[in-house]
Amino acid sequence: ADGLPAYGAEFITEGYIYPAGTLTCEDNVCNGVLPDGSPEFPDLVLGTWTCRGWHVGEGADTTEGPWVITTQTYAFGEDFHSQNIVTDGFEGPQFDTELTRSIVGGTGRYRFARGEQKQTLLGWNDSIGVALSVTMRVR
């Protein structure tokens, strides 16, 4: 009714992987992606990030608890399929709150990857995408 995604609405979004400390945010407005979707710091890009999932809870109107359930693929380097890590789990709408997700596999040197991903929602960038801080413990 409000034009925002409701419970069960699917989505896909993409972004860039930068080294730790690259992004800066002020009042949950972050840099890293230009309004046209291109990387703000192209020389620092380590790879790409693709996230697909579904809205849960109250859809886009969720203010706490599970907001979306997603699968994220982190593709490192120029070849999108040879070196990636895949994670799965819930995400929440609250800024600066660390969540834990499962590392469920990968390809190339990450083909046996398992472990945990810690993720914090920092804010939104100029392309209306999320800015995240991610740490992975890969075994």
Side-chain angles (χ1 to χ4, degrees):
D2 62 5
L4 297 174
Y7 176 89
E10 60 189 74
F11 67 92
I12 186 166
T13 186
E14 296 179 299
Y16 305 99
I17 303 168
Y18 290 115
T22 301
L23 300 181
T24 58
C25 304
E26 186 173 320
D27 296 323
N28 302 114
V29 177
C30 305
N31 62 355
V33 179
L34 299 174
D36 68 358
S38 63
E40 184 172 356
F41 311 109
D43 294 340
L44 297 179
V45 172
L46 301 174
T48 58
W49 166 83
T50 302
C51 177
R52 59 186 162 86
W54 295 265
H55 284 83
V56 295
E58 298 296 318
D61 292 318
T62 302
T63 59
E64 60 184 34
W67 172 31
V68 293
I69 186 164
T70 65
T71 299
Q72 299 178 4
T73 302
Y74 295 81
F76 297 97
E78 307 227 354
D79 183 355
F80 71 92
H81 62 90
S82 64
Q83 302 291 329
N84 66 56
I85 295 174
V86 178
T87 70
D88 202 85
F90 289 100
E91 299 183 52
Q94 296 168 302
F95 297 112
D96 304 315
T97 300
E98 186 178 78
L99 301 174
T100 303
R101 298 168 50 85
S102 300
I103 297 174
V104 297
T107 62
R109 67 189 244 198
Y110 304 112
R111 68 185 168 274
F112 301 116
R114 295 289 183 268
E116 288 185 336
Q117 169 191 349
K118 302 291 186 178
Q119 174 178 301
T120 303
L121 175 61
L122 302 175
W124 301 96
N125 59 46
D126 281 343
S127 70
I128 313 174
V130 294
L132 306 170
S133 173
V134 172
T135 303
M136 294 188 193
R137 288 187 175 165
V138 181
R139 290 189 292 253

